[in-house]
Amino acid sequence: MPDYQQHLQLAADFLRNADHVVAFTGAGISAESGIPTFRDDDGFWQRYPPEHFATWDGLFATLTRDPDGLIDFLLAVLEPIVEAAPNPAHVALAQLERHVNVTIITQNVDALHQEAGSTVVKEIHGTLFETVTLTGSFEHLVTRQEVRKVIEELKEIRGQSFVRTRLPLVIRPLLGIGRRGPYRPNLVLFGDGLNDTTWEAALAAVRDASVMLTVGTSGEVMPAATLPREARAAGARLVTIDPEVDSGEGDICLQGRAGDVLPQLVNTAFP
Ligand code: OAD
């Protein structure tokens, strides 16, 4: 693959000469950690129609109409995330910090970048491991242990006659009423606005970046998908890493799995 090798060298030069690298990541970077993406063949939105599962109204309507279906969806989302570990792509981005200033802007809610050791992570679609009030203020942290307990109890009540009444109690670590009123997971669903502070910080990083690595995202969701264009307008070099993308708005496309390409790229730049 002569083109691939040439592009790898060029992208490595970009990294070596960069003051600030922004990695903009989507579900594809966590695919090799066992978490399905959204729009690939086995993706969440292929199996669970977004109109029933990707909005708060849809989820509450599904709770009433089909609580066991809601449990299936919750298990499909929660189990892979809570059991996932960072893969070589997350680790390579964390290691890149030894050589250059790095900001991660992720659409993922799995906290795998932080677990791999990345220190500056902007989670523009929120995180599963935090709850917020209905106005978006921080409520409490959610531990993996608590999510595992929710998963266990969801399995116990699935298919039981009392499922509809027990479900709200089982998911109380994630959604319920606390001392400051109702709280919910800190997740951005369809139709929700982004957290302003996080989004402004992401934009500031993008405008300051010398290189943007766009990894494993279909670029279908706004406003996240505008970030590569913002970076280009501010003068950054763009590198796209995705097995399904061989050209795009980037200067360079490295077609392949993030877990293969990112370690190669970082090792080539900083042997
Ligand atoms: P998508 O499912 O839309 O896109 C996943 C991308 O990852 C595709 O381009 C795949 O080709 C690529 N991919 C798959 N395996 C990969 C691998 N091993 N290495 C690298 N890339 C791989 O997921 P996102 O773009 O993240 O938002 O989706 C964006 C948003 O849509 C999500 O944050 C979520 C969803 O609705 C909200 O819920 C608001």
Side-chain angles (χ1 to χ4, degrees), residues 25-32 37-40 43 45 54 107-109 125 188-190 215-221 241-245 256-259:
T25 66
I29 197 168
S30 295
E32 291 156 75
T37 63
F38 292 93
R39 295 174 182 80
D40 291 306
W45 300 153
Q107 299 165 87
N108 301 341
V109 301
H125 289 169
V188 174
L189 300 191
F190 285 14
V215 188
T217 177
S218 61
E220 294 228 358
V221 171
I241 297 169
D242 194 300
E244 301 299 330
V245 180
R257 300 183 334 157

mmCIF file of all heavy atoms in Angstrom, residues 25-32 37-40 43 45 54 107-109 125 188-190 215-221 241-245 256-259, ligand 1:
data_model
loop_
_atom_site.group_PDB
_atom_site.id
_atom_site.type_symbol
_atom_site.label_atom_id
_atom_site.label_comp_id
_atom_site.label_asym_id
_atom_site.label_seq_id
_atom_site.Cartn_x
_atom_site.Cartn_y
_atom_site.Cartn_z
ATOM 1 N N THR A 25 -13.064 12.374 18.194
ATOM 2 C CA THR A 25 -13.339 10.932 18.100
ATOM 3 C C THR A 25 -14.846 10.632 18.167
ATOM 4 O O THR A 25 -15.618 11.349 18.788
ATOM 5 C CB THR A 25 -12.614 10.142 19.218
ATOM 6 O OG1 THR A 25 -13.161 10.505 20.490
ATOM 7 C CG2 THR A 25 -11.121 10.426 19.213
ATOM 8 N N GLY A 26 -15.206 9.520 17.515
ATOM 9 C CA GLY A 26 -16.580 9.024 17.538
ATOM 10 C C GLY A 26 -16.588 7.552 17.904
ATOM 11 O O GLY A 26 -15.545 6.960 18.269
ATOM 12 N N ALA A 27 -17.758 6.956 17.751
ATOM 13 C CA ALA A 27 -17.967 5.585 18.213
ATOM 14 C C ALA A 27 -16.943 4.599 17.640
ATOM 15 O O ALA A 27 -16.610 3.604 18.287
ATOM 16 C CB ALA A 27 -19.379 5.138 17.843
ATOM 17 N N GLY A 28 -16.433 4.878 16.426
ATOM 18 C CA GLY A 28 -15.492 3.943 15.801
ATOM 19 C C GLY A 28 -14.239 3.706 16.608
ATOM 20 O O GLY A 28 -13.655 2.614 16.558
ATOM 21 N N ILE A 29 -13.817 4.695 17.418
ATOM 22 C CA ILE A 29 -12.571 4.478 18.178
ATOM 23 C C ILE A 29 -12.792 3.458 19.298
ATOM 24 O O ILE A 29 -11.849 2.805 19.744
ATOM 25 C CB ILE A 29 -11.985 5.798 18.740
ATOM 26 C CG1 ILE A 29 -10.506 5.571 19.136
ATOM 27 C CG2 ILE A 29 -12.779 6.336 19.911
ATOM 28 C CD1 ILE A 29 -9.717 6.824 19.425
ATOM 29 N N SER A 30 -14.041 3.302 19.728
ATOM 30 C CA SER A 30 -14.313 2.338 20.800
ATOM 31 C C SER A 30 -14.833 1.004 20.272
ATOM 32 O O SER A 30 -15.109 0.087 21.055
ATOM 33 C CB SER A 30 -15.324 2.932 21.796
ATOM 34 O OG SER A 30 -14.768 4.055 22.444
ATOM 35 N N ALA A 31 -14.959 0.880 18.929
ATOM 36 C CA ALA A 31 -15.497 -0.369 18.363
ATOM 37 C C ALA A 31 -14.616 -1.558 18.744
ATOM 38 O O ALA A 31 -15.115 -2.639 19.083
ATOM 39 C CB ALA A 31 -15.607 -0.242 16.844
ATOM 40 N N GLU A 32 -13.287 -1.341 18.722
ATOM 41 C CA GLU A 32 -12.382 -2.457 19.053
ATOM 42 C C GLU A 32 -12.318 -2.733 20.561
ATOM 43 O O GLU A 32 -11.659 -3.684 20.985
ATOM 44 C CB GLU A 32 -10.987 -2.176 18.475
ATOM 45 C CG GLU A 32 -10.985 -2.239 16.956
ATOM 46 C CD GLU A 32 -9.854 -1.438 16.350
ATOM 47 O OE1 GLU A 32 -8.707 -1.907 16.404
ATOM 48 O OE2 GLU A 32 -10.123 -0.337 15.830
ATOM 49 N N THR A 37 -20.962 0.671 17.238
ATOM 50 C CA THR A 37 -21.145 2.046 16.785
ATOM 51 C C THR A 37 -22.655 2.286 16.634
ATOM 52 O O THR A 37 -23.468 1.432 17.005
ATOM 53 C CB THR A 37 -20.421 2.277 15.438
ATOM 54 O OG1 THR A 37 -21.021 1.418 14.465
ATOM 55 C CG2 THR A 37 -18.931 1.993 15.540
ATOM 56 N N PHE A 38 -23.024 3.428 16.083
ATOM 57 C CA PHE A 38 -24.453 3.739 15.934
ATOM 58 C C PHE A 38 -24.995 3.343 14.567
ATOM 59 O O PHE A 38 -26.099 2.829 14.445
ATOM 60 C CB PHE A 38 -24.693 5.242 16.158
ATOM 61 C CG PHE A 38 -24.458 5.639 17.586
ATOM 62 C CD1 PHE A 38 -23.222 6.112 17.995
ATOM 63 C CD2 PHE A 38 -25.449 5.480 18.531
ATOM 64 C CE1 PHE A 38 -22.990 6.446 19.323
ATOM 65 C CE2 PHE A 38 -25.236 5.802 19.857
ATOM 66 C CZ PHE A 38 -23.998 6.285 20.252
ATOM 67 N N ARG A 39 -24.191 3.604 13.516
ATOM 68 C CA ARG A 39 -24.763 3.521 12.160
ATOM 69 C C ARG A 39 -24.153 2.414 11.310
ATOM 70 O O ARG A 39 -24.531 2.248 10.156
ATOM 71 C CB ARG A 39 -24.637 4.883 11.456
ATOM 72 C CG ARG A 39 -25.453 5.941 12.145
ATOM 73 C CD ARG A 39 -25.282 7.333 11.600
ATOM 74 N NE ARG A 39 -26.107 8.258 12.391
ATOM 75 C CZ ARG A 39 -25.754 8.743 13.584
ATOM 76 N NH1 ARG A 39 -24.585 8.437 14.124
ATOM 77 N NH2 ARG A 39 -26.571 9.539 14.242
ATOM 78 N N ASP A 40 -23.171 1.652 11.826
ATOM 79 C CA ASP A 40 -22.679 0.497 11.074
ATOM 80 C C ASP A 40 -23.747 -0.597 11.118
ATOM 81 O O ASP A 40 -24.763 -0.445 11.798
ATOM 82 C CB ASP A 40 -21.343 0.014 11.664
ATOM 83 C CG ASP A 40 -20.216 1.027 11.416
ATOM 84 O OD1 ASP A 40 -20.000 1.394 10.248
ATOM 85 O OD2 ASP A 40 -19.578 1.468 12.384
ATOM 86 N N GLY A 43 -24.954 -1.493 14.337
ATOM 87 C CA GLY A 43 -25.004 -0.290 15.180
ATOM 88 C C GLY A 43 -26.293 -0.180 15.981
ATOM 89 O O GLY A 43 -27.315 -0.777 15.635
ATOM 90 N N TRP A 45 -28.441 2.270 16.306
ATOM 91 C CA TRP A 45 -29.626 2.826 15.635
ATOM 92 C C TRP A 45 -30.150 1.898 14.542
ATOM 93 O O TRP A 45 -31.233 2.122 14.010
ATOM 94 C CB TRP A 45 -29.360 4.227 15.079
ATOM 95 C CG TRP A 45 -28.975 5.268 16.098
ATOM 96 C CD1 TRP A 45 -28.217 6.373 15.849
ATOM 97 C CD2 TRP A 45 -29.348 5.357 17.495
ATOM 98 N NE1 TRP A 45 -28.073 7.116 16.997
ATOM 99 C CE2 TRP A 45 -28.756 6.521 18.025
ATOM 100 C CE3 TRP A 45 -30.101 4.564 18.359
ATOM 101 C CZ2 TRP A 45 -28.892 6.910 19.354
ATOM 102 C CZ3 TRP A 45 -30.234 4.946 19.690
ATOM 103 C CH2 TRP A 45 -29.646 6.091 20.165
ATOM 104 N N ALA A 54 -33.819 7.347 21.023
ATOM 105 C CA ALA A 54 -32.771 8.378 21.011
ATOM 106 C C ALA A 54 -33.259 9.731 21.511
ATOM 107 O O ALA A 54 -32.539 10.716 21.408
ATOM 108 C CB ALA A 54 -32.195 8.531 19.603
ATOM 109 N N GLN A 107 -17.259 12.352 21.053
ATOM 110 C CA GLN A 107 -18.723 12.227 21.060
ATOM 111 C C GLN A 107 -19.115 11.015 21.903
ATOM 112 O O GLN A 107 -20.299 10.745 22.070
ATOM 113 C CB GLN A 107 -19.240 12.039 19.629
ATOM 114 C CG GLN A 107 -18.917 13.213 18.720
ATOM 115 C CD GLN A 107 -19.119 12.856 17.254
ATOM 116 O OE1 GLN A 107 -20.207 12.979 16.711
ATOM 117 N NE2 GLN A 107 -18.069 12.393 16.603
ATOM 118 N N ASN A 108 -18.132 10.282 22.401
ATOM 119 C CA ASN A 108 -18.415 9.041 23.120
ATOM 120 C C ASN A 108 -18.683 9.316 24.602
ATOM 121 O O ASN A 108 -18.162 10.270 25.163
ATOM 122 C CB ASN A 108 -17.250 8.064 22.971
ATOM 123 C CG ASN A 108 -16.986 7.741 21.515
ATOM 124 O OD1 ASN A 108 -17.861 7.958 20.673
ATOM 125 N ND2 ASN A 108 -15.800 7.250 21.206
ATOM 126 N N VAL A 109 -19.472 8.427 25.209
ATOM 127 C CA VAL A 109 -19.876 8.627 26.605
ATOM 128 C C VAL A 109 -19.274 7.543 27.497
ATOM 129 O O VAL A 109 -19.714 7.322 28.609
ATOM 130 C CB VAL A 109 -21.423 8.629 26.718
ATOM 131 C CG1 VAL A 109 -22.025 9.746 25.858
ATOM 132 C CG2 VAL A 109 -22.035 7.280 26.322
ATOM 133 N N HIS A 125 -20.914 15.045 24.013
ATOM 134 C CA HIS A 125 -22.227 14.401 24.135
ATOM 135 C C HIS A 125 -22.446 13.836 25.544
ATOM 136 O O HIS A 125 -23.320 12.998 25.748
ATOM 137 C CB HIS A 125 -22.399 13.304 23.074
ATOM 138 C CG HIS A 125 -22.568 13.872 21.691
ATOM 139 N ND1 HIS A 125 -22.517 13.111 20.548
ATOM 140 C CD2 HIS A 125 -22.804 15.140 21.266
ATOM 141 C CE1 HIS A 125 -22.699 13.888 19.480
ATOM 142 N NE2 HIS A 125 -22.864 15.117 19.889
ATOM 143 N N VAL A 188 -26.337 13.501 25.982
ATOM 144 C CA VAL A 188 -27.015 14.362 25.010
ATOM 145 C C VAL A 188 -27.768 13.448 24.047
ATOM 146 O O VAL A 188 -27.153 12.663 23.321
ATOM 147 C CB VAL A 188 -25.988 15.218 24.246
ATOM 148 C CG1 VAL A 188 -26.667 16.011 23.135
ATOM 149 C CG2 VAL A 188 -25.255 16.148 25.210
ATOM 150 N N LEU A 189 -29.087 13.533 24.075
ATOM 151 C CA LEU A 189 -29.877 12.738 23.124
ATOM 152 C C LEU A 189 -30.306 13.635 21.970
ATOM 153 O O LEU A 189 -30.054 14.838 21.960
ATOM 154 C CB LEU A 189 -31.092 12.119 23.819
ATOM 155 C CG LEU A 189 -30.783 11.178 24.993
ATOM 156 C CD1 LEU A 189 -32.050 10.434 25.413
ATOM 157 C CD2 LEU A 189 -29.699 10.175 24.654
ATOM 158 N N PHE A 190 -30.957 13.037 20.977
ATOM 159 C CA PHE A 190 -31.397 13.820 19.820
ATOM 160 C C PHE A 190 -32.298 14.966 20.307
ATOM 161 O O PHE A 190 -33.184 14.757 21.125
ATOM 162 C CB PHE A 190 -32.201 12.955 18.846
ATOM 163 C CG PHE A 190 -31.364 12.005 18.035
ATOM 164 C CD1 PHE A 190 -30.039 11.736 18.366
ATOM 165 C CD2 PHE A 190 -31.892 11.375 16.926
ATOM 166 C CE1 PHE A 190 -29.267 10.856 17.616
ATOM 167 C CE2 PHE A 190 -31.138 10.483 16.159
ATOM 168 C CZ PHE A 190 -29.819 10.229 16.518
ATOM 169 N N VAL A 215 -11.307 10.650 14.085
ATOM 170 C CA VAL A 215 -11.188 9.194 14.209
ATOM 171 C C VAL A 215 -12.548 8.546 14.449
ATOM 172 O O VAL A 215 -13.217 8.843 15.442
ATOM 173 C CB VAL A 215 -10.261 8.819 15.399
ATOM 174 C CG1 VAL A 215 -9.987 7.312 15.405
ATOM 175 C CG2 VAL A 215 -8.959 9.599 15.363
ATOM 176 N N GLY A 216 -12.984 7.685 13.514
ATOM 177 C CA GLY A 216 -14.139 6.824 13.771
ATOM 178 C C GLY A 216 -15.445 7.556 13.975
ATOM 179 O O GLY A 216 -16.209 7.208 14.877
ATOM 180 N N THR A 217 -15.722 8.530 13.141
ATOM 181 C CA THR A 217 -17.042 9.177 13.220
ATOM 182 C C THR A 217 -17.616 9.343 11.821
ATOM 183 O O THR A 217 -16.884 9.664 10.884
ATOM 184 C CB THR A 217 -16.985 10.540 13.953
ATOM 185 O OG1 THR A 217 -18.286 11.134 13.927
ATOM 186 C CG2 THR A 217 -15.963 11.502 13.368
ATOM 187 N N SER A 218 -18.930 9.128 11.714
ATOM 188 C CA SER A 218 -19.578 9.269 10.406
ATOM 189 C C SER A 218 -19.813 10.733 10.071
ATOM 190 O O SER A 218 -20.165 11.062 8.939
ATOM 191 C CB SER A 218 -20.917 8.525 10.406
ATOM 192 O OG SER A 218 -21.764 9.086 11.395
ATOM 193 N N GLY A 219 -19.684 11.625 11.051
ATOM 194 C CA GLY A 219 -19.888 13.050 10.789
ATOM 195 C C GLY A 219 -21.327 13.370 10.433
ATOM 196 O O GLY A 219 -21.616 14.290 9.687
ATOM 197 N N GLU A 220 -22.256 12.615 11.004
ATOM 198 C CA GLU A 220 -23.675 12.823 10.652
ATOM 199 C C GLU A 220 -24.396 13.697 11.658
ATOM 200 O O GLU A 220 -25.537 14.064 11.430
ATOM 201 C CB GLU A 220 -24.377 11.462 10.590
ATOM 202 C CG GLU A 220 -23.857 10.612 9.486
ATOM 203 C CD GLU A 220 -24.957 9.992 8.662
ATOM 204 O OE1 GLU A 220 -26.136 10.200 8.984
ATOM 205 O OE2 GLU A 220 -24.612 9.299 7.699
ATOM 206 N N VAL A 221 -23.775 13.913 12.822
ATOM 207 C CA VAL A 221 -24.523 14.583 13.885
ATOM 208 C C VAL A 221 -23.991 16.001 14.112
ATOM 209 O O VAL A 221 -22.799 16.200 14.295
ATOM 210 C CB VAL A 221 -24.462 13.733 15.181
ATOM 211 C CG1 VAL A 221 -25.046 14.492 16.362
ATOM 212 C CG2 VAL A 221 -25.246 12.444 14.972
ATOM 213 N N ILE A 241 -9.133 9.104 10.099
ATOM 214 C CA ILE A 241 -8.810 7.685 10.314
ATOM 215 C C ILE A 241 -10.122 6.920 10.454
ATOM 216 O O ILE A 241 -10.898 7.158 11.399
ATOM 217 C CB ILE A 241 -7.940 7.514 11.574
ATOM 218 C CG1 ILE A 241 -6.609 8.248 11.381
ATOM 219 C CG2 ILE A 241 -7.719 6.023 11.892
ATOM 220 C CD1 ILE A 241 -5.775 8.378 12.638
ATOM 221 N N ASP A 242 -10.399 6.020 9.514
ATOM 222 C CA ASP A 242 -11.684 5.303 9.515
ATOM 223 C C ASP A 242 -11.560 4.175 8.473
ATOM 224 O O ASP A 242 -11.057 4.422 7.376
ATOM 225 C CB ASP A 242 -12.820 6.273 9.111
ATOM 226 C CG ASP A 242 -14.209 5.732 9.391
ATOM 227 O OD1 ASP A 242 -14.568 4.671 8.841
ATOM 228 O OD2 ASP A 242 -14.958 6.382 10.151
ATOM 229 N N PRO A 243 -12.022 2.961 8.790
ATOM 230 C CA PRO A 243 -11.892 1.878 7.803
ATOM 231 C C PRO A 243 -12.764 2.073 6.576
ATOM 232 O O PRO A 243 -12.503 1.498 5.521
ATOM 233 C CB PRO A 243 -12.325 0.623 8.577
ATOM 234 C CG PRO A 243 -13.044 1.102 9.769
ATOM 235 C CD PRO A 243 -12.587 2.496 10.062
ATOM 236 N N GLU A 244 -13.832 2.875 6.719
ATOM 237 C CA GLU A 244 -14.780 3.036 5.615
ATOM 238 C C GLU A 244 -14.560 4.315 4.818
ATOM 239 O O GLU A 244 -15.306 4.583 3.883
ATOM 240 C CB GLU A 244 -16.225 3.043 6.155
ATOM 241 C CG GLU A 244 -16.639 1.802 6.918
ATOM 242 C CD GLU A 244 -16.561 0.549 6.059
ATOM 243 O OE1 GLU A 244 -16.752 0.655 4.831
ATOM 244 O OE2 GLU A 244 -16.274 -0.516 6.621
ATOM 245 N N VAL A 245 -13.600 5.116 5.202
ATOM 246 C CA VAL A 245 -13.439 6.418 4.544
ATOM 247 C C VAL A 245 -12.098 6.459 3.836
ATOM 248 O O VAL A 245 -11.051 6.243 4.461
ATOM 249 C CB VAL A 245 -13.520 7.565 5.586
ATOM 250 C CG1 VAL A 245 -13.352 8.919 4.898
ATOM 251 C CG2 VAL A 245 -14.841 7.522 6.325
ATOM 252 N N GLY A 256 -8.363 2.597 7.733
ATOM 253 C CA GLY A 256 -8.060 1.421 8.549
ATOM 254 C C GLY A 256 -8.690 1.560 9.915
ATOM 255 O O GLY A 256 -9.328 2.572 10.225
ATOM 256 N N ARG A 257 -8.511 0.515 10.728
ATOM 257 C CA ARG A 257 -9.094 0.521 12.070
ATOM 258 C C ARG A 257 -8.236 1.396 12.988
ATOM 259 O O ARG A 257 -6.998 1.343 12.919
ATOM 260 C CB ARG A 257 -9.160 -0.903 12.609
ATOM 261 C CG ARG A 257 -10.009 -1.797 11.714
ATOM 262 C CD ARG A 257 -10.198 -3.207 12.211
ATOM 263 N NE ARG A 257 -9.163 -3.717 13.066
ATOM 264 C CZ ARG A 257 -9.341 -4.705 13.936
ATOM 265 N NH1 ARG A 257 -10.519 -5.286 14.032
ATOM 266 N NH2 ARG A 257 -8.348 -5.142 14.677
ATOM 267 N N ALA A 258 -8.919 2.129 13.849
ATOM 268 C CA ALA A 258 -8.194 3.056 14.723
ATOM 269 C C ALA A 258 -7.138 2.340 15.562
ATOM 270 O O ALA A 258 -6.047 2.864 15.784
ATOM 271 C CB ALA A 258 -9.188 3.765 15.637
ATOM 272 N N GLY A 259 -7.467 1.125 15.997
ATOM 273 C CA GLY A 259 -6.541 0.381 16.863
ATOM 274 C C GLY A 259 -5.274 -0.051 16.139
ATOM 275 O O GLY A 259 -4.257 -0.360 16.767
HETATM 276 P P1 OAD B 1 -21.385 6.376 13.807
HETATM 277 O O1 OAD B 1 -21.919 5.030 14.110
HETATM 278 O O2 OAD B 1 -22.284 7.327 13.102
HETATM 279 O O3 OAD B 1 -20.047 6.255 12.945
HETATM 280 C C1 OAD B 1 -19.028 5.349 13.332
HETATM 281 C C2 OAD B 1 -17.862 5.517 12.417
HETATM 282 O O4 OAD B 1 -16.817 4.704 12.934
HETATM 283 C C3 OAD B 1 -18.115 5.059 10.968
HETATM 284 O O5 OAD B 1 -17.586 6.014 10.069
HETATM 285 C C4 OAD B 1 -17.349 3.733 10.870
HETATM 286 O O6 OAD B 1 -16.830 3.483 9.584
HETATM 287 C C5 OAD B 1 -16.219 4.004 11.858
HETATM 288 N N1 OAD B 1 -15.566 2.786 12.411
HETATM 289 C C6 OAD B 1 -16.088 1.562 12.638
HETATM 290 N N2 OAD B 1 -15.156 0.736 13.168
HETATM 291 C C7 OAD B 1 -14.021 1.479 13.317
HETATM 292 C C8 OAD B 1 -12.708 1.195 13.805
HETATM 293 N N3 OAD B 1 -12.367 -0.004 14.275
HETATM 294 N N4 OAD B 1 -11.797 2.198 13.787
HETATM 295 C C9 OAD B 1 -12.129 3.439 13.316
HETATM 296 N N5 OAD B 1 -13.344 3.747 12.836
HETATM 297 C C10 OAD B 1 -14.285 2.787 12.834
HETATM 298 O O7 OAD B 1 -20.870 7.003 15.196
HETATM 299 P P2 OAD B 1 -20.572 8.520 15.537
HETATM 300 O O8 OAD B 1 -20.070 9.265 14.359
HETATM 301 O O9 OAD B 1 -19.758 8.549 16.772
HETATM 302 O O10 OAD B 1 -24.964 11.044 19.382
HETATM 303 O O11 OAD B 1 -22.012 9.027 15.885
HETATM 304 C C11 OAD B 1 -22.171 10.357 16.274
HETATM 305 C C12 OAD B 1 -23.296 10.504 17.243
HETATM 306 O O12 OAD B 1 -24.477 9.845 16.713
HETATM 307 C C13 OAD B 1 -23.119 9.804 18.572
HETATM 308 O O13 OAD B 1 -22.333 10.549 19.489
HETATM 309 C C14 OAD B 1 -24.528 9.700 19.060
HETATM 310 C C15 OAD B 1 -25.175 9.197 17.799
HETATM 311 O O14 OAD B 1 -26.517 9.470 17.661
HETATM 312 C C16 OAD B 1 -25.994 11.263 20.162
HETATM 313 O O15 OAD B 1 -26.594 10.363 20.704
HETATM 314 C C17 OAD B 1 -26.331 12.723 20.312
#
